[in-house]
Amino acid sequence: MMFPAGQLENPRHAGHREGVPTVVLLEEVTKRYDAGGALSVTALEDVGLEVDQGEFVVVLGPSGSGKTTLLNVIGALDAATEGQVTVAGRRLAGASRRDLFRFRRENVSFIFQSFNLFPGLTALENVRFGVDVTGRRNGGASAIARAVLEDVGLGDRLDHFPHELSGGEQQRVAIARALATGNPLILADEPTGELDFRTGVQILGLLQRQAEAGTTVLVVTHNREISRIADRVVELSSGRVVSDGPPKGGKADISDLHW
Amino acid sequence: MRQIWFWLRWSGRELRRRWVQVTVIALIIALGTGVQAGLGSTSDWRKRSYDESYEALRMHDLRVRLADGSFVPRGTLAGALERITHPEWVASADERLIVPTQVDASTASQAVLVPGRIVGVEPVGGSSAVDGIWVTRGRGLGRADDGAPVAVLEDHFADYYDLPSTGRIGLPGGASIGYVGTGYSPEYYMVANDALGYSLMAEANFAVLFAPLATAGLLSGRAGQINDLVIALDRGVDRDAARSEIEEALRAALPDVGVSVATREEDLVYGLMYGDLDSDQGTLNLLAMLMFVAAVFAAFNLTSRIVEAQRREIGIGMALGARRRTLALRPLLIGAEIALLGVLFGVAIGWLVGAAMKVQLETIQPLPVWETPFRLDRFVGAAALGFLLPFLATAWPVWRAVRVEPVEAIRTGHLASRGGGLAPLLKRVPLPGGSFGQIPVRNVVRAPRRTILTAIGIGAAIMALVGLLGMLDSLATTIDRGDRELLNGAPDRVMVDLAGFQPVGEGVVSIIEGSPAVGSAEPMVRVGGELRRKGVRFDVFLEVLDLQSPVWHPTLGSAVPTGDLPGIVIAQKAAEDLGVAPGDTIDVSHPVREGPFAFATTTTTMRVVGIHPNPVRSFAYLDERDAGLMGLEGVANAVQVVPAAGSSVDDVKRAMFGFPGVASVQPVSAMAQVLRDLVGSMRGIFAVIEFFALALALLVAFNAASINVDERAREHATMFAFGMRVRTLLRMTSVESLIVGLLGTLIGLGVGVAALGALLASATKESPQIGMLTRLAPATVLTALAFGALAALLAPLLTARKLRRMDISSTLRVME
């Protein structure tokens, strides 16, 4: 059962800004996977997290720390075993599969490490997919898609298929697709994982600008350098939050990044 | 050994993981091999069933017949057997009285008046009788029936006219007899026209009554007399030697009576049954081959796609340094295991086909015994190919996979992305539905080779269907064409066959012409003949009539003058087979009368003066002015009649019934009806093949859709991650499947037309007397389209469960 949206009270992180709605709230969330028989794997344990609207949050951790699982739980691709997950004012526990599909349509957009563009569609059509899936089937869908692609600097690559684009261009199309949905929350799983440094910085810049424009952005990565430009860094280890706060040494400028 | 076991277990895991797809491919192979084995065994089944059926009713080994009109006291012929040198050779013998009659089996709704025969038999029943009677409905004859006015009515006749299992039959002179059941003896496993030596339409035109011997004698005025004897010899007896001894004994016993002794092989129906054994087999073999090709091709395509999905694993193996031949082992094993499974399933399908065909054969040709055992020898050949070809299907992609550089094979994500196939060609084509509308079409064109192979797989099944239905269309059109010609201008035309040649203008011909039920009548001559030219020869019915008759005459087309030769009008098929056109000459072999009852055969060169449109080449026509060629001027052995105003065909039949000199009265339309009934009876067999063709199309479409779901799992998971509804995705996959299905159907239609040509050529070879017209009815095209569309639309829906249960997060996980 999902409850209607609304401003949540009881902020739990130090950087929470007064009057800014909380978009993501995890309360004592645990995720366990049954591996068969008596074996079970705990991917997340007693995780608490609160993300405000417009925040650029980096979830940091080594491989197997549970960061992707965290993203999946927030994005309603996986259900928490215990605890409460509330996103955009909607509690996800017990929601039907159908409701979860609708929830994602209306609230969440994903960016994947390997882009996951649709190979049979051009860049414009891939982005238009983001508009079409929300149900905005009117003459404006293509115009929206075109505008978003121009925003990400691909105004001259509208008719190119994914295999005709570089890795960075493909990821920009993926970002544009996510942006075209107009959803308030973007979840990015290792968005720079398959890109070179320079391209990766460009991608991060795009995401940062979205956050500045009011979209909440959650980036999952194992690259500590990326966390330097975040508003907040949530560090996971073995499924637990080991730290949650501004980047060590303060927030850096994107031009200072090196990896 | 351990290694082999390791590979078997690993390949087994892959099979289990994809068990649905593997099972479907195996079923596809099974359909091809099983149908091939089943349909290919038809003539074997017929031979076996004929042998068993003749054995079941103890068909005679020898038959003694007295000359027409001769009778001897009961016991005479059986007594003569006791005086042969080896009486122990005779296992059993039964005397019979066989007399011609006319039968009135009219019902409230139809007049049934046909010539017939009373066969008087010893009413012992049981298995000891020679030429026993197989009772299909009601009861047979028992000892208590001897002398009673009861009979068993021949089953084909009763079935044709839909008569009840018991009833009353009218006989000439106001007599009648009740029949207590229907059935047949071995001589009537098929009803044949003794005079013309063929079986077509005979069951509609001839009724047999099996009556107790004493009853037959009473009815025919031949009480206590017989004229026939059937003999069963002991096993292993030399039939010719027995025949000689019996002939000698009969000559001694009956020196003044004409007697003939014939073997069972000389029986007309026996000869037709076994001579007809391989009829239709060529056509069925061709149909089976179409299904087999379709199935193997589909399995080839689908199996290779499963193996292609393992390219990355093969690449990883190569990157780790494993030998190529070692890496090839698992996918090859998978291919072999799928093929083997298909062969095993094929045994079950072959058995099913046999069971289904048995039901159809029992309907088309009722016999006491029908056996359709699974023929392993037939199956082995099909199975070998059914195993080999899908196995080769894995060899090709495996060969390709081990030739790719390891680094290319193991690339993931966008680095592994391939070209867009033909998708770029369509990027400027606007389609409704935004990106959702584009996706199905782009999916179809971005892997063109795969799309075409899947379409061909579906098309192959549709091809078999089109060939089959096209055959039925062509048969129906051919029958209609013949019907139109025979009934042209005289739909109620009735043919009255006379008993022998009668003088025109007097006697029975005059009686017929003067009958109040007859509007107009035209006497004619109908004899058998043969057309010949340059080594080609075939039998025809020669009809000598007024080629401008107001009653009816053949359509002459572009007639040419005869010149100095007699003219003949032949069928289009006859002209094609002889290689002649109007104006050319052919040789015609025909009877010529040498005395009141004596005929010789002679050959006359005639000019083809016209081509008539009846597709049956057996019909040829001469003008009545040329009757003198046969010495038959002024006589007729048939009269074509049109009912008088206010009279029906049945009225004519009733008016002619019992006329001395009238052998039979049949509407001309009955011929076409028999052919239609024959085609109708074959629909059952065709329905069996239609079912398997549709099943094949559905299986191919389903498996293609299922493999698509696997191959595009990541794309689908991405769509679901964005919240796309499952039903939206199902709609898209249905549209994609429909496009491929329709493409396949169009391919199937095109190739099906070629297959139809091959099938008709085969049918023409088996029945050369019929010039088959090729036709594919609009309804057939629509049926094929509907089948293809239905299979294509249903298939993705069967993957709905898989989509709904998708673990989205696992599917999206990046492979490192």
Side-chain angles (χ1 to χ4, degrees):
Chain A
M1 183 72 80
M2 295 198 295
F3 294 95
Q7 185 169 352
L8 297 173
E9 297 173 356
N10 301 323
R12 298 188 348 153
H13 74 96
H16 171 68
R17 292 160 285 168
E18 198 62 36
V20 176
T22 299
V23 174
V24 176
L25 179 62
L26 270 59
E27 298 170 274
E28 296 173 357
V29 167
T30 295
K31 174 67 184 175
R32 252 180 244 112
Y33 294 100
D34 283 323
L39 287 175
S40 97
V41 173
T42 304
L44 294 174
E45 191 166 358
D46 201 24
V47 168
L49 178 68
E50 189 177 347
V51 180
D52 294 336
Q53 182 181 336
E55 273 199 286
F56 184 88
V57 175
V58 168
V59 178
L60 191 64
S63 186
S65 60
K67 52 188 192 298
T68 298
T69 304
L70 179 67
L71 210 72
N72 289 340
V73 165
I74 293 171
L77 291 181
D78 248 334
T81 312
E82 291 169 21
Q84 200 60 252
V85 179
T86 309
V87 180
R90 287 172 169 79
R91 284 207 177 128
L92 303 184
S96 68
R97 199 172 160 91
R98 196 175 180 177
D99 285 339
L100 292 176
F101 270 63
R102 194 173 92 197
F103 162 77
R104 286 198 297 276
R105 249 193 330 272
E106 295 171 356
N107 296 283
V108 180
S109 297
F110 286 88
I111 298 168
F112 304 98
Q113 177 177 346
S114 52
F115 327 136
N116 288 357
L117 296 180
F118 303 123
L121 298 181
T122 62
L124 180 67
E125 289 159 350
N126 263 284
V127 175
R128 184 176 163 153
F129 174 86
V131 182
D132 290 337
V133 82
T134 60
R136 278 186 261 166
R137 297 194 194 289
N138 53 32
S142 288
I144 293 170
R146 191 171 285 115
V148 173
L149 272 170
E150 281 168 2
D151 276 349
V152 301
L154 288 177
D156 59 341
R157 310 288 267 170
L158 302 180
D159 287 340
H160 285 72
F161 287 90
H163 69 275
E164 295 169 333
L165 301 171
S166 68
E169 289 170 337
Q170 289 190 52
Q171 191 62 298
R172 278 193 269 168
V173 172
I175 292 172
R177 180 176 64 185
L179 296 178
T181 62
N183 288 340
L185 177 61
I186 289 180
L187 301 174
D189 191 352
E190 299 278 9
T192 62
E194 293 194 5
L195 305 173
D196 58 272
F197 165 71
R198 189 191 287 188
T199 311
V201 165
Q202 289 172 354
I203 296 303
L204 290 170
L206 278 173
L207 291 173
Q208 204 176 37
R209 279 200 292 282
Q210 294 311 312
E212 287 162 5
T215 303
T216 307
V217 178
L218 231 81
V219 173
V220 152
T221 184
H222 63 277
N223 188 341
R224 191 167 288 278
E225 189 67 8
I226 291 173
S227 66
R228 292 175 60 209
I229 61 166
D231 294 328
R232 227 166 92 211
V233 180
V234 176
E235 196 162 344
L236 291 180
S237 177
S238 300
R240 287 180 165 273
V241 175
V242 296
S243 70
D244 179 354
K248 288 190 176 68
K251 182 174 172 178
D253 191 76
I254 197 165
S255 57
D256 292 335
L257 291 182
H258 289 285
W259 68 78
Chain B
M1 185 67 193
R2 200 179 290 175
Q3 263 214 337
I4 295 172
W5 185 236
F6 166 75
W7 288 112
L8 282 173
R9 270 185 20 229
W10 197 5
S11 62
R13 274 189 212 132
E14 186 66 22
L15 292 181
R16 271 199 302 279
R17 196 171 70 84
R18 291 173 173 269
W19 73 270
V20 174
Q21 291 166 5
V22 164
T23 304
V24 170
I25 295 175
L27 276 174
I28 289 172
I29 297 170
L31 276 175
T33 52
V35 169
Q36 172 82 332
L39 294 187
S41 303
T42 309
S43 62
D44 296 333
W45 291 337
R46 287 165 89 170
K47 181 171 188 320
R48 182 175 175 143
S49 301
Y50 293 172
D51 290 346
E52 301 276 332
S53 293
Y54 278 117
E55 188 61 36
L57 296 187
R58 291 200 86 191
M59 169 123 189
H60 63 257
D61 293 301
L62 296 170
R63 182 184 173 191
V64 177
R65 296 168 78 164
L66 301 187
D68 281 350
S70 299
F71 301 89
V72 294
R74 198 165 162 177
T76 307
L77 296 179
L81 287 184
E82 291 167 10
R83 291 188 285 280
I84 64 174
T85 310
H86 295 92
E88 69 280 8
W89 282 357
V90 175
S92 191
D94 284 334
E95 291 182 324
R96 305 191 299 187
L97 175 64
I98 299 179
V99 290
T101 187
Q102 290 214 22
V103 164
D104 179 357
S106 301
T107 64
S109 55
Q110 57 182 347
V112 181
L113 301 150
V114 298
R117 180 180 291 160
I118 297 175
V119 178
V121 297
E122 291 286 356
V124 292
S127 58
S128 60
V130 183
D131 288 2
I133 297 170
W134 183 263
V135 177
T136 55
R137 292 182 296 159
R139 69 167 179 89
L141 300 174
R143 285 204 184 280
D145 295 316
D146 204 8
V150 294
V152 169
L153 181 61
E154 194 276 311
D155 184 70
H156 295 90
F157 171 79
D159 185 58
Y160 181 85
Y161 287 107
D162 209 21
L163 298 176
S165 58
T166 61
R168 271 208 101 65
I169 297 290
L171 299 172
S176 69
I177 187 169
Y179 65 93
V180 296
T182 62
Y184 46 81
S185 69
E187 290 161 308
Y188 300 97
Y189 281 162
M190 193 189 278
V191 180
N193 184 311
D194 291 345
L196 294 173
Y198 70 96
S199 63
L200 196 61
M201 199 180 148
E203 65 204 38
N205 203 31
F206 198 78
V208 178
L209 286 162
F210 301 97
L213 200 46
T215 306
L218 290 169
L219 287 172
S220 60
R222 296 283 173 187
Q225 295 186 327
I226 53 102
N227 62 354
D228 196 279
L229 176 75
V230 285
I231 303 166
L233 300 174
D234 250 352
R235 283 195 199 286
V237 168
D238 182 334
R239 194 176 294 173
D240 289 329
R243 181 186 195 173
S244 296
E245 285 194 17
I246 291 169
E247 281 173 334
E248 195 182 323
L250 288 171
R251 273 198 297 272
L254 304 166
D256 300 322
V257 179
V259 178
S260 64
V261 180
T263 64
R264 69 156 65 168
E265 286 76 15
E266 289 163 354
D267 177 76
L268 174 63
V269 168
Y270 190 94
L272 285 172
M273 292 274 285
Y274 283 92
D276 202 35
L277 209 56
D278 290 325
S279 78
D280 307 327
Q281 188 60 60
T283 306
L284 288 174
N285 281 350
L286 201 48
L287 278 169
M289 179 58 63
L290 291 177
M291 285 285 293
F292 181 73
V293 166
V296 169
F297 193 89
F300 186 102
N301 175 36
L302 295 168
T303 311
S304 66
R305 283 177 69 178
I306 285 184
V307 171
E308 264 189 26
Q310 297 181 11
R311 280 182 80 176
R312 192 161 183 274
E313 286 181 40
I314 293 172
I316 291 169
M318 287 197 293
L320 291 171
R323 285 196 186 89
R324 289 172 193 229
R325 61 170 180 265
T326 308
L327 293 169
L329 197 53
R330 186 167 82 106
L332 285 174
L333 259 179
I334 288 171
E337 285 158 354
I338 292 175
L340 186 62
L341 198 59
V343 166
L344 289 173
F345 282 0
V347 174
I349 297 286
W351 180 86
L352 266 175
V353 170
M357 289 293 287
K358 182 177 180 182
V359 170
Q360 300 310 320
L361 290 168
E362 282 172 343
T363 305
I364 294 170
Q365 194 171 14
L367 287 174
V369 178
W370 261 111
E371 290 200 6
T372 56
F374 179 73
R375 289 292 308 265
L376 189 61
D377 52 339
R378 294 262 172 212
F379 179 76
V380 163
L385 270 182
F387 177 86
L388 191 62
L389 290 174
F391 176 69
L392 286 177
T394 59
W396 167 245
V398 166
W399 185 83
R400 281 180 13 149
V402 298
R403 299 215 102 60
V404 169
E405 287 300 318
V407 68
E408 289 297 327
I410 60 176
R411 279 196 212 281
T412 61
H414 76 284
L415 298 170
S417 64
R418 303 174 188 174
L422 299 177
L425 295 177
L426 294 183
K427 67 180 171 188
R428 299 219 187 275
V429 176
L431 290 170
S435 60
F436 294 177
Q438 296 286 358
I439 286 174
V441 178
R442 300 289 178 78
N443 280 346
V444 168
V445 298
R446 69 182 165 109
R449 186 178 69 93
R450 186 171 294 176
T451 296
I452 288 290
L453 286 176
T454 304
I456 289 175
I458 295 173
I462 299 294
M463 164 191 69
L465 192 70
V466 167
L468 198 59
L469 294 179
M471 271 205 72
L472 290 175
D473 290 340
S474 301
L475 279 169
T477 301
T478 304
I479 294 169
D480 283 345
R481 192 65 196 87
D483 215 15
R484 273 205 306 277
E485 169 62 8
L486 287 176
L487 301 179
N488 184 22
D492 288 339
R493 189 161 70 103
V494 176
M495 192 62 70
V496 181
D497 285 319
L498 305 178
F501 292 97
Q502 309 289 336
V504 172
E506 56 183 274
V508 64
V509 176
S510 291
I511 294 172
I512 291 169
E513 286 171 332
S515 167
V518 172
S520 47
E522 182 87 35
M524 54 196 292
V525 167
R526 300 170 92 200
V527 293
E530 187 183 75
L531 304 186
R532 299 184 206 144
R533 186 171 183 266
K534 288 187 180 172
V536 175
R537 58 205 300 167
F538 48 83
D539 295 331
V540 291
F541 304 126
L542 290 170
E543 293 193 0
V544 185
L545 73 165
D546 177 3
L547 289 180
Q548 304 296 327
S549 168
V551 175
W552 180 87
H553 62 268
T555 307
L556 295 184
S558 47
V560 299
T562 63
D564 55 341
L565 293 174
I568 185 168
V569 179
I570 61 175
Q572 180 63 41
K573 180 68 169 46
E576 285 166 8
D577 290 345
L578 295 168
V580 296
D584 293 337
T585 59
I586 58 174
D587 292 326
V588 180
S589 170
H590 59 85
V592 58
R593 191 153 80 166
E594 291 184 332
F597 304 104
F599 283 88
T601 303
T602 190
T603 302
T604 304
T605 300
M606 300 189 189
R607 191 176 305 283
V608 176
V609 296
I611 307 285
H612 67 76
N614 192 329
V616 180
R617 75 175 182 191
S618 306
F619 293 102
Y621 305 95
L622 306 178
D623 191 85
E624 61 183 358
R625 288 170 296 184
D626 291 323
L629 284 172
M630 304 179 195
L632 293 172
E633 54 277 71
V635 296
N637 65 350
V639 182
Q640 58 175 354
V641 158
V642 174
S647 293
S648 66
V649 168
D650 285 350
D651 292 332
V652 172
K653 281 186 181 179
R654 282 195 199 92
M656 303 291 145
F657 184 69
F659 269 21
V662 170
S664 75
V665 182
Q666 276 293 347
V668 172
S669 58
M671 164 77 103
Q673 189 55 49
V674 167
L675 288 174
R676 282 201 187 88
D677 289 346
L678 184 65
V679 170
S681 68
M682 291 174 69
R683 279 192 190 276
I685 289 184
F686 283 6
V688 170
I689 304 171
E690 270 177 58
F691 169 76
F692 284 112
L694 179 61
L696 183 61
L698 186 59
L699 285 172
V700 170
F702 165 72
N703 228 22
S706 175
I707 292 175
N708 278 347
V709 165
D710 285 347
E711 288 174 348
R712 296 198 199 127
R714 226 176 151 71
E715 286 173 47
H716 296 158
T718 303
M719 292 175 186
F720 289 155
F722 274 84
M724 176 187 262
R725 292 179 182 87
V726 174
R727 66 170 184 262
T728 306
L729 178 58
L730 279 175
R731 249 200 316 271
M732 285 174 9
T733 56
S734 293
V735 170
E736 182 185 340
S737 183
L738 186 62
I739 294 172
V740 176
L742 286 176
L743 178 63
T745 302
L746 289 174
I747 293 172
L749 273 168
V751 182
V753 169
L756 173 60
L759 284 168
L760 290 176
S762 169
T764 301
K765 202 173 154 191
E766 287 163 358
S767 303
Q769 66 273 27
I770 299 179
M772 293 280 265
L773 301 173
T774 307
R775 183 161 185 262
L776 202 62
T780 296
V781 174
L782 286 174
T783 301
L785 285 169
F787 268 23
L790 186 68
L793 281 173
L794 275 177
L797 298 179
L798 297 172
T799 64
R801 190 164 172 268
K802 198 187 234 187
L803 287 173
R804 286 203 170 88
R805 288 166 146 238
M806 179 190 283
D807 184 341
I808 302 169
S809 54
S810 297
T811 309
L812 287 170
R813 190 164 299 138
V814 172
M815 289 181 291
E816 294 297 337

